[in-house]
Amino acid sequence: MSVNQIQIHVENIKCGGCEKSIIKGLTSIEGLSHIVIDQEQQMVSVVADESLRETVVSKLRSMGYPEHGSVSGLEAGLTNAKSFVSCAIGRIS
């Protein structure tokens, strides 16, 4: 097991609501710590075993924050819509 800082460049982080939703969503994954969101750089950083990277990427994508450049066309539109919902939930929770 190799615990490292994993950085994932994502899309659609717009505000503090997005950040709250991402943190809440990622805390459901066991084995992650030190979740940091850099809104300006669109970067999500976690400390975890490298084997969890795909789990983190998948969770982010399901919430509307796909890895940069990983979606296009209609799928990009759908993930953008999901991010608006996640953002709204983050703002009210």
Coordinates of all heavy atoms in Angstrom, one line a residue:
M1 N 0.9 -1.2 0.0 CA 0.0 0.0 0.0 C 0.9 1.2 0.0 O 1.8 1.4 0.8 CB -0.9 0.0 1.2 CG -1.8 1.1 1.3 SD -3.3 0.9 2.3 CE -2.7 1.5 3.9
S2 N 0.6 2.2 -0.9 CA 1.4 3.4 -1.1 C 0.5 4.6 -1.0 O -0.2 4.9 -1.9 CB 2.1 3.3 -2.4 OG 2.8 4.6 -2.7
V3 N 0.6 5.3 0.2 CA -0.3 6.4 0.4 C 0.5 7.7 -0.1 O 1.6 7.9 0.3 CB -0.6 6.6 1.9 CG1 -1.4 7.9 2.2 CG2 -1.4 5.4 2.4
N4 N -0.2 8.4 -1.0 CA 0.4 9.6 -1.6 C -0.7 10.7 -1.7 O -1.9 10.4 -1.5 CB 0.8 9.3 -3.0 CG 1.9 8.2 -3.1 OD1 2.9 8.4 -2.5 ND2 1.7 7.2 -3.9
Q5 N -0.2 11.9 -2.1 CA -1.2 12.9 -2.4 C -1.6 12.7 -3.9 O -0.7 12.5 -4.8 CB -0.6 14.3 -2.3 CG -1.6 15.4 -2.6 CD -1.1 16.8 -2.4 OE1 0.1 17.0 -2.5 NE2 -1.9 17.7 -2.0
I6 N -2.9 12.6 -4.1 CA -3.4 12.4 -5.4 C -4.1 13.7 -5.8 O -4.9 14.2 -5.1 CB -4.5 11.2 -5.5 CG1 -3.8 9.9 -5.0 CG2 -5.1 11.1 -6.8 CD1 -4.8 8.8 -4.8
Q7 N -3.7 14.2 -7.0 CA -4.3 15.4 -7.5 C -5.0 15.1 -8.8 O -4.5 14.5 -9.7 CB -3.2 16.5 -7.8 CG -2.6 17.0 -6.5 CD -1.6 18.2 -6.8 OE1 -0.9 18.2 -7.7 NE2 -1.7 19.2 -5.9
I8 N -6.3 15.6 -8.8 CA -7.1 15.4 -10.0 C -7.6 16.7 -10.5 O -8.3 17.5 -9.8 CB -8.3 14.5 -9.7 CG1 -7.8 13.1 -9.1 CG2 -9.2 14.2 -10.9 CD1 -8.8 12.3 -8.4
H9 N -7.3 17.1 -11.8 CA -7.7 18.3 -12.4 C -9.1 18.0 -12.9 O -9.3 17.1 -13.8 CB -6.8 18.7 -13.5 CG -7.1 19.9 -14.2 ND1 -6.6 20.2 -15.4 CD2 -7.8 21.0 -13.8 CE1 -7.0 21.4 -15.8 NE2 -7.7 21.9 -14.8
V10 N -10.1 18.7 -12.4 CA -11.5 18.5 -12.7 C -12.2 19.7 -13.4 O -11.5 20.7 -13.6 CB -12.4 18.1 -11.5 CG1 -11.8 16.8 -10.9 CG2 -12.4 19.2 -10.5
E11 N -13.4 19.5 -13.8 CA -14.2 20.6 -14.5 C -15.4 21.0 -13.6 O -15.8 20.1 -12.8 CB -14.6 20.2 -15.9 CG -13.5 19.9 -16.8 CD -13.9 19.4 -18.2 OE1 -15.1 19.4 -18.5 OE2 -13.0 19.0 -19.0
N12 N -15.9 22.2 -13.8 CA -17.2 22.6 -13.2 C -17.2 23.1 -11.8 O -18.2 23.3 -11.2 CB -18.3 21.5 -13.4 CG -18.5 21.1 -14.8 OD1 -18.3 21.9 -15.7 ND2 -18.8 19.9 -15.1
I13 N -16.0 23.2 -11.1 CA -16.1 23.8 -9.7 C -16.3 25.3 -9.9 O -15.5 26.0 -10.4 CB -14.8 23.5 -9.0 CG1 -14.5 22.0 -8.9 CG2 -14.8 24.1 -7.6 CD1 -13.2 21.6 -8.2
K14 N -17.4 25.7 -9.3 CA -17.8 27.1 -9.5 C -17.8 27.9 -8.2 O -17.7 29.2 -8.3 CB -19.2 27.2 -10.2 CG -19.2 26.6 -11.6 CD -20.7 26.6 -12.1 CE -21.4 25.2 -12.0 NZ -20.7 24.0 -12.1
C15 N -18.0 27.3 -7.1 CA -18.2 28.1 -5.9 C -18.0 27.2 -4.6 O -17.7 26.0 -4.7 CB -19.6 28.7 -5.8 SG -20.9 27.4 -5.7
G16 N -18.2 27.8 -3.5 CA -18.1 27.1 -2.2 C -19.1 26.0 -2.1 O -18.9 25.0 -1.4
G17 N -20.3 26.1 -2.7 CA -21.3 25.0 -2.7 C -20.7 23.8 -3.4 O -20.9 22.7 -2.9
C18 N -20.1 24.0 -4.5 CA -19.4 22.9 -5.2 C -18.4 22.2 -4.3 O -18.3 21.0 -4.2 CB -18.7 23.4 -6.5 SG -19.8 24.0 -7.7
E19 N -17.6 23.0 -3.7 CA -16.5 22.5 -2.8 C -17.1 21.7 -1.7 O -16.7 20.6 -1.4 CB -15.7 23.7 -2.2 CG -14.8 24.4 -3.2 CD -14.0 25.5 -2.7 OE1 -13.8 25.5 -1.4 OE2 -13.7 26.4 -3.4
K20 N -18.2 22.2 -1.0 CA -18.8 21.4 0.1 C -19.4 20.1 -0.4 O -19.2 19.1 0.3 CB -20.0 22.3 0.7 CG -19.5 23.3 1.6 CD -20.6 24.2 2.2 CE -21.6 23.3 3.0 NZ -22.7 24.2 3.6
S21 N -20.0 20.1 -1.6 CA -20.5 18.9 -2.2 C -19.4 17.9 -2.4 O -19.6 16.7 -2.2 CB -21.3 19.1 -3.4 OG -22.5 19.8 -3.1
I22 N -18.3 18.3 -3.0 CA -17.2 17.4 -3.3 C -16.7 16.8 -2.0 O -16.5 15.6 -2.0 CB -16.1 18.2 -4.1 CG1 -16.7 18.5 -5.5 CG2 -14.8 17.3 -4.2 CD1 -15.8 19.4 -6.3
I23 N -16.4 17.7 -1.1 CA -15.9 17.2 0.2 C -16.8 16.1 0.8 O -16.4 15.1 1.3 CB -15.6 18.3 1.2 CG1 -14.4 19.1 0.6 CG2 -15.3 17.8 2.6 CD1 -14.1 20.4 1.4
K24 N -18.1 16.5 0.9 CA -19.1 15.5 1.4 C -19.1 14.2 0.7 O -19.2 13.1 1.2 CB -20.5 16.2 1.4 CG -21.5 15.3 2.1 CD -22.9 16.0 2.2 CE -23.9 15.2 2.9 NZ -25.2 15.9 3.1
G25 N -19.1 14.3 -0.7 CA -19.1 13.1 -1.5 C -17.9 12.2 -1.3 O -18.0 11.0 -1.2
L26 N -16.7 12.9 -1.2 CA -15.5 12.1 -1.1 C -15.3 11.5 0.3 O -14.6 10.5 0.4 CB -14.3 13.0 -1.5 CG -14.2 13.4 -3.0 CD1 -13.0 14.2 -3.3 CD2 -14.3 12.2 -3.9
T27 N -15.9 12.1 1.3 CA -15.7 11.6 2.6 C -16.4 10.2 2.7 O -16.2 9.5 3.7 CB -16.2 12.5 3.7 OG1 -17.6 12.9 3.5 CG2 -15.4 13.8 3.8
S28 N -17.3 9.9 1.8 CA -17.9 8.6 1.8 C -17.0 7.5 1.3 O -17.3 6.3 1.5 CB -19.2 8.6 0.9 OG -18.8 8.7 -0.4
I29 N -15.8 7.8 0.8 CA -14.9 6.8 0.4 C -13.9 6.6 1.5 O -13.2 7.5 1.9 CB -14.1 7.3 -0.9 CG1 -15.1 7.6 -2.0 CG2 -13.1 6.3 -1.3 CD1 -14.5 8.3 -3.3
E30 N -13.9 5.3 2.0 CA -13.0 5.0 3.1 C -11.5 5.0 2.6 O -11.2 4.6 1.5 CB -13.3 3.6 3.6 CG -12.7 3.3 4.9 CD -13.3 2.1 5.6 OE1 -14.5 1.9 5.5 OE2 -12.5 1.3 6.1
G31 N -10.6 5.5 3.4 CA -9.2 5.5 3.1 C -8.7 6.9 2.6 O -7.5 7.0 2.3
L32 N -9.6 7.9 2.4 CA -9.1 9.2 2.0 C -9.0 10.1 3.2 O -9.7 10.0 4.2 CB -10.2 9.9 1.1 CG -10.6 9.2 -0.2 CD1 -11.5 10.1 -1.0 CD2 -9.4 8.9 -1.1
S33 N -8.0 11.0 3.1 CA -7.9 12.0 4.1 C -7.4 13.3 3.4 O -7.0 13.3 2.3 CB -6.9 11.6 5.2 OG -5.6 11.3 4.7
H34 N -7.4 14.4 4.2 CA -6.9 15.7 3.7 C -7.4 16.0 2.3 O -6.7 16.2 1.4 CB -5.4 15.7 3.7 CG -4.7 15.4 5.0 ND1 -5.0 16.1 6.2 CD2 -3.9 14.4 5.4 CE1 -4.4 15.5 7.2 NE2 -3.6 14.5 6.7
I35 N -8.8 16.1 2.2 CA -9.4 16.5 1.0 C -9.3 18.0 0.9 O -9.7 18.8 1.7 CB -10.9 16.1 1.0 CG1 -11.0 14.6 1.1 CG2 -11.6 16.6 -0.3 CD1 -12.4 14.1 1.4
V36 N -8.6 18.5 -0.2 CA -8.5 19.9 -0.5 C -9.0 20.3 -1.9 O -8.6 19.6 -2.8 CB -7.0 20.3 -0.3 CG1 -6.8 21.8 -0.7 CG2 -6.4 20.0 1.0
I37 N -9.8 21.3 -1.9 CA -10.3 21.8 -3.2 C -9.7 23.1 -3.5 O -9.7 24.1 -2.7 CB -11.8 21.9 -3.2 CG1 -12.5 20.7 -2.5 CG2 -12.4 22.2 -4.5 CD1 -12.4 19.4 -3.2
D38 N -9.1 23.3 -4.7 CA -8.6 24.5 -5.2 C -9.5 25.0 -6.4 O -9.4 24.5 -7.5 CB -7.2 24.4 -5.7 CG -6.5 25.7 -6.2 OD1 -7.3 26.6 -6.6 OD2 -5.3 25.8 -6.1
Q39 N -10.5 25.8 -6.0 CA -11.5 26.3 -7.0 C -10.8 27.0 -8.2 O -11.2 26.7 -9.3 CB -12.5 27.2 -6.3 CG -13.6 27.7 -7.1 CD -14.6 28.5 -6.4 OE1 -14.7 28.5 -5.2 NE2 -15.3 29.4 -7.1
E40 N -9.9 27.8 -7.9 CA -9.2 28.6 -9.0 C -8.5 27.7 -10.0 O -8.6 27.9 -11.2 CB -8.3 29.6 -8.4 CG -7.7 30.5 -9.5 CD -6.8 31.6 -8.8 OE1 -7.2 32.2 -7.8 OE2 -5.7 31.8 -9.3
Q41 N -7.8 26.7 -9.5 CA -7.1 25.8 -10.3 C -7.9 24.6 -10.8 O -7.4 23.7 -11.6 CB -5.8 25.2 -9.6 CG -4.8 26.3 -9.2 CD -4.2 27.0 -10.4 OE1 -3.9 26.3 -11.4 NE2 -4.1 28.3 -10.4
Q42 N -9.2 24.4 -10.3 CA -10.0 23.3 -10.6 C -9.3 22.0 -10.2 O -9.3 21.0 -11.0 CB -10.4 23.3 -12.1 CG -11.2 24.6 -12.5 CD -12.6 24.5 -12.1 OE1 -13.4 23.7 -12.6 NE2 -13.0 25.4 -11.2
M43 N -8.7 22.0 -9.0 CA -8.0 20.8 -8.6 C -8.5 20.2 -7.3 O -8.9 21.0 -6.4 CB -6.5 21.3 -8.4 CG -5.5 20.1 -8.2 SD -5.2 19.3 -9.7 CE -4.4 20.5 -10.7
V44 N -8.7 18.9 -7.3 CA -9.1 18.2 -6.1 C -7.9 17.4 -5.7 O -7.3 16.6 -6.4 CB -10.3 17.3 -6.4 CG1 -10.6 16.5 -5.1 CG2 -11.5 18.1 -6.8
S45 N -7.5 17.5 -4.4 CA -6.3 16.8 -3.9 C -6.8 16.0 -2.7 O -7.5 16.5 -1.8 CB -5.2 17.7 -3.4 OG -4.8 18.5 -4.5
V46 N -6.3 14.7 -2.6 CA -6.6 13.9 -1.4 C -5.3 13.1 -1.1 O -4.5 12.9 -1.9 CB -7.8 12.9 -1.7 CG1 -9.1 13.6 -2.1 CG2 -7.4 11.9 -2.9
V47 N -5.3 12.7 0.1 CA -4.2 11.7 0.5 C -4.9 10.4 0.6 O -5.8 10.2 1.4 CB -3.6 12.2 1.9 CG1 -2.6 11.1 2.3 CG2 -2.9 13.5 1.7
A48 N -4.3 9.4 -0.2 CA -4.9 8.1 -0.2 C -4.0 7.2 -0.9 O -3.0 7.6 -1.6 CB -6.2 8.1 -1.0
D49 N -4.3 5.9 -0.8 CA -3.5 4.9 -1.6 C -3.8 5.1 -3.1 O -4.9 5.4 -3.5 CB -4.0 3.5 -1.2 CG -3.1 2.4 -1.9 OD1 -3.5 2.0 -3.0 OD2 -2.1 2.0 -1.3
E50 N -2.8 5.0 -3.9 CA -2.9 5.3 -5.3 C -4.0 4.4 -6.0 O -4.6 4.8 -7.0 CB -1.6 5.1 -6.0 CG -1.5 5.4 -7.5 CD -1.8 6.9 -7.8 OE1 -1.4 7.8 -7.0 OE2 -2.4 7.2 -8.8
S51 N -4.2 3.2 -5.4 CA -5.3 2.3 -5.9 C -6.7 2.9 -5.8 O -7.6 2.4 -6.5 CB -5.2 1.0 -5.2 OG -5.6 1.1 -3.8
L52 N -6.9 3.9 -5.0 CA -8.2 4.6 -4.9 C -8.4 5.7 -5.9 O -9.5 6.3 -6.0 CB -8.3 5.2 -3.5 CG -8.5 4.1 -2.4 CD1 -8.5 4.8 -1.0 CD2 -9.7 3.3 -2.6
R53 N -7.4 6.0 -6.7 CA -7.5 7.1 -7.7 C -8.8 7.0 -8.6 O -9.5 7.9 -8.7 CB -6.3 7.3 -8.5 CG -6.3 8.5 -9.4 CD -5.1 8.7 -10.3 NE -5.0 10.0 -10.8 CZ -5.8 10.5 -11.8 NH1 -6.7 9.8 -12.3 NH2 -5.6 11.7 -12.2
E54 N -9.0 5.8 -9.2 CA -10.1 5.6 -10.1 C -11.4 5.7 -9.4 O -12.4 6.2 -9.9 CB -10.0 4.3 -10.9 CG -8.9 4.4 -12.0 CD -9.1 5.5 -12.9 OE1 -10.3 5.8 -13.4 OE2 -8.1 6.2 -13.2
T55 N -11.5 5.3 -8.1 CA -12.7 5.4 -7.3 C -13.0 6.9 -7.1 O -14.2 7.3 -7.2 CB -12.5 4.7 -5.9 OG1 -12.2 3.3 -6.2 CG2 -13.7 4.8 -5.1
V56 N -12.0 7.7 -6.8 CA -12.2 9.1 -6.6 C -12.6 9.8 -7.9 O -13.6 10.5 -7.9 CB -10.9 9.8 -6.0 CG1 -11.0 11.3 -6.0 CG2 -10.5 9.2 -4.7
V57 N -12.0 9.4 -9.0 CA -12.4 10.0 -10.3 C -13.8 9.7 -10.6 O -14.6 10.5 -11.1 CB -11.4 9.5 -11.4 CG1 -11.9 9.9 -12.8 CG2 -10.0 10.1 -11.2
S58 N -14.2 8.4 -10.4 CA -15.5 8.0 -10.7 C -16.6 8.7 -9.8 O -17.6 9.1 -10.3 CB -15.6 6.5 -10.5 OG -16.9 6.0 -10.7
K59 N -16.3 8.9 -8.6 CA -17.2 9.6 -7.6 C -17.3 11.0 -8.1 O -18.5 11.5 -8.1 CB -16.7 9.5 -6.2 CG -17.5 10.2 -5.2 CD -18.9 9.5 -5.1 CE -19.7 10.1 -3.9 NZ -20.9 9.4 -3.7
L60 N -16.2 11.7 -8.4 CA -16.3 13.1 -8.9 C -17.1 13.2 -10.1 O -18.0 14.1 -10.2 CB -14.9 13.6 -9.1 CG -14.0 13.9 -7.8 CD1 -12.6 14.1 -8.2 CD2 -14.6 15.0 -7.1
R61 N -16.9 12.3 -11.1 CA -17.6 12.3 -12.3 C -19.1 12.1 -12.1 O -20.0 12.8 -12.7 CB -17.1 11.2 -13.2 CG -17.8 11.2 -14.6 CD -17.2 10.0 -15.4 NE -17.5 10.2 -16.8 CZ -16.7 10.0 -17.8 NH1 -15.5 9.7 -17.6 NH2 -17.1 10.2 -19.0
S62 N -19.5 11.2 -11.2 CA -20.9 11.0 -10.9 C -21.6 12.2 -10.3 O -22.8 12.3 -10.4 CB -21.1 9.7 -10.0 OG -20.7 10.0 -8.6
M63 N -20.8 13.0 -9.6 CA -21.3 14.2 -9.0 C -21.3 15.5 -10.0 O -21.8 16.5 -9.6 CB -20.5 14.6 -7.8 CG -20.7 13.5 -6.7 SD -19.5 13.7 -5.3 CE -19.3 15.4 -5.1
G64 N -20.8 15.3 -11.2 CA -20.7 16.4 -12.1 C -19.4 17.1 -12.2 O -19.3 18.2 -12.8
Y65 N -18.4 16.5 -11.7 CA -17.0 17.1 -11.7 C -16.0 16.1 -12.3 O -15.2 15.5 -11.7 CB -16.6 17.5 -10.3 CG -17.6 18.3 -9.6 CD1 -18.5 17.8 -8.6 CD2 -17.7 19.7 -9.8 CE1 -19.5 18.6 -8.0 CE2 -18.6 20.5 -9.2 CZ -19.5 19.9 -8.3 OH -20.5 20.7 -7.7
P66 N -16.2 15.9 -13.6 CA -15.3 14.9 -14.3 C -13.9 15.4 -14.4 O -13.6 16.6 -14.4 CB -15.9 14.8 -15.7 CG -16.5 16.2 -15.9 CD -17.0 16.6 -14.6
E67 N -13.0 14.5 -14.6 CA -11.6 14.8 -14.8 C -11.5 15.6 -16.1 O -12.1 15.4 -17.1 CB -10.7 13.5 -14.9 CG -9.3 13.8 -14.8 CD -8.4 12.5 -14.6 OE1 -9.0 11.4 -14.7 OE2 -7.3 12.7 -14.2
H68 N -10.6 16.7 -16.0 CA -10.5 17.6 -17.1 C -10.2 16.9 -18.4 O -9.3 16.0 -18.5 CB -9.4 18.6 -16.8 CG -9.2 19.6 -17.9 ND1 -10.1 20.7 -18.0 CD2 -8.2 19.8 -18.8 CE1 -9.7 21.4 -19.1 NE2 -8.6 20.9 -19.6
G69 N -11.0 17.2 -19.4 CA -10.8 16.6 -20.8 C -11.4 15.2 -20.9 O -11.2 14.6 -22.0
S70 N -12.1 14.6 -19.9 CA -12.5 13.2 -20.0 C -13.9 13.1 -20.6 O -14.3 12.0 -20.9 CB -12.5 12.6 -18.7 OG -13.4 13.1 -17.8
V71 N -14.6 14.2 -20.8 CA -16.0 14.1 -21.3 C -16.1 15.2 -22.4 O -15.4 16.2 -22.4 CB -17.1 14.3 -20.3 CG1 -17.1 13.2 -19.3 CG2 -17.0 15.7 -19.6
S72 N -17.0 14.9 -23.4 CA -17.2 15.9 -24.4 C -18.7 15.8 -24.9 O -19.4 14.8 -24.6 CB -16.2 15.7 -25.6 OG -16.4 14.5 -26.2
G73 N -19.1 16.7 -25.7 CA -20.4 16.7 -26.3 C -21.5 16.6 -25.3 O -21.5 17.3 -24.3
L74 N -22.5 15.8 -25.6 CA -23.7 15.6 -24.7 C -23.3 15.2 -23.3 O -23.9 15.7 -22.3 CB -24.7 14.6 -25.3 CG -25.9 14.3 -24.5 CD1 -26.7 15.6 -24.4 CD2 -26.8 13.2 -25.2
E75 N -22.3 14.3 -23.2 CA -21.9 13.9 -21.8 C -21.3 15.1 -21.0 O -21.6 15.2 -19.8 CB -20.8 12.8 -21.9 CG -20.5 12.2 -20.6 CD -19.6 11.0 -20.7 OE1 -19.0 10.7 -21.7 OE2 -19.4 10.4 -19.6
A76 N -20.6 16.0 -21.7 CA -20.1 17.2 -21.0 C -21.3 18.1 -20.5 O -21.3 18.6 -19.4 CB -19.2 18.0 -21.9
G77 N -22.3 18.2 -21.3 CA -23.5 18.9 -20.9 C -24.2 18.3 -19.7 O -24.7 19.0 -18.8
L78 N -24.3 17.0 -19.7 CA -24.9 16.3 -18.6 C -24.1 16.4 -17.3 O -24.7 16.6 -16.2 CB -25.1 14.8 -19.0 CG -26.1 14.5 -20.0 CD1 -26.1 13.0 -20.4 CD2 -27.5 14.9 -19.6
T79 N -22.8 16.3 -17.4 CA -22.0 16.4 -16.2 C -22.1 17.9 -15.7 O -22.1 18.1 -14.5 CB -20.5 16.0 -16.4 OG1 -19.9 16.8 -17.4 CG2 -20.4 14.6 -16.7
N80 N -22.2 18.8 -16.6 CA -22.3 20.2 -16.2 C -23.6 20.4 -15.4 O -23.7 21.1 -14.4 CB -22.2 21.2 -17.4 CG -22.0 22.6 -17.0 OD1 -21.4 22.9 -16.0 ND2 -22.6 23.5 -17.7
A81 N -24.7 19.8 -15.9 CA -26.0 19.9 -15.2 C -25.9 19.2 -13.9 O -26.5 19.8 -12.9 CB -27.1 19.2 -16.1
K82 N -25.3 18.1 -13.8 CA -25.1 17.4 -12.5 C -24.4 18.3 -11.5 O -24.7 18.3 -10.3 CB -24.3 16.1 -12.6 CG -25.1 15.0 -13.2 CD -24.2 13.7 -13.3 CE -24.9 12.6 -14.1 NZ -24.0 11.5 -14.2
S83 N -23.4 19.0 -12.0 CA -22.6 19.9 -11.1 C -23.4 21.0 -10.5 O -23.3 21.4 -9.4 CB -21.3 20.5 -11.8 OG -21.7 21.5 -12.7
F84 N -24.4 21.5 -11.3 CA -25.3 22.5 -10.8 C -26.2 22.0 -9.7 O -26.4 22.7 -8.7 CB -26.2 23.1 -11.9 CG -25.5 24.1 -12.8 CD1 -25.1 23.8 -14.1 CD2 -25.3 25.4 -12.3 CE1 -24.5 24.8 -14.9 CE2 -24.6 26.4 -13.0 CZ -24.3 26.1 -14.3
V85 N -26.6 20.8 -9.8 CA -27.4 20.1 -8.8 C -26.5 19.9 -7.5 O -26.9 20.3 -6.4 CB -28.0 18.8 -9.2 CG1 -28.7 18.1 -8.1 CG2 -29.0 19.1 -10.4
S86 N -25.3 19.4 -7.7 CA -24.4 19.2 -6.6 C -24.1 20.5 -5.9 O -24.1 20.6 -4.6 CB -23.1 18.5 -7.0 OG -23.3 17.2 -7.4
C87 N -23.9 21.5 -6.7 CA -23.6 22.9 -6.1 C -24.7 23.4 -5.3 O -24.5 23.8 -4.2 CB -23.3 23.8 -7.3 SG -23.1 25.5 -6.8
A88 N -26.0 23.3 -5.8 CA -27.1 23.7 -5.1 C -27.3 23.0 -3.7 O -27.6 23.6 -2.7 CB -28.4 23.6 -5.9
I89 N -27.1 21.7 -3.8 CA -27.2 20.9 -2.6 C -26.1 21.3 -1.6 O -26.4 21.4 -0.4 CB -27.0 19.4 -2.9 CG1 -28.3 18.9 -3.6 CG2 -26.8 18.5 -1.6 CD1 -28.2 17.5 -4.2
G90 N -24.9 21.6 -2.1 CA -23.8 22.0 -1.2 C -24.1 23.4 -0.5 O -23.7 23.6 0.6
R91 N -24.8 24.2 -1.3 CA -25.1 25.5 -0.7 C -26.2 25.5 0.4 O -26.1 26.3 1.3 CB -25.7 26.5 -1.8 CG -24.6 26.9 -2.8 CD -25.2 27.8 -3.8 NE -24.2 28.2 -4.8 CZ -24.4 29.1 -5.7 NH1 -25.5 29.8 -5.7 NH2 -23.5 29.4 -6.5
I92 N -27.1 24.5 0.3 CA -28.2 24.5 1.3 C -27.9 23.5 2.5 O -28.6 23.5 3.5 CB -29.5 24.1 0.7 CG1 -29.5 22.8 0.0 CG2 -30.0 25.2 -0.2 CD1 -30.9 22.3 -0.5
S93 N -26.8 22.7 2.3 CA -26.5 21.7 3.4 C -25.5 22.2 4.3 O -24.8 23.2 4.1 CB -26.1 20.4 2.8 OG -24.9 20.5 2.0

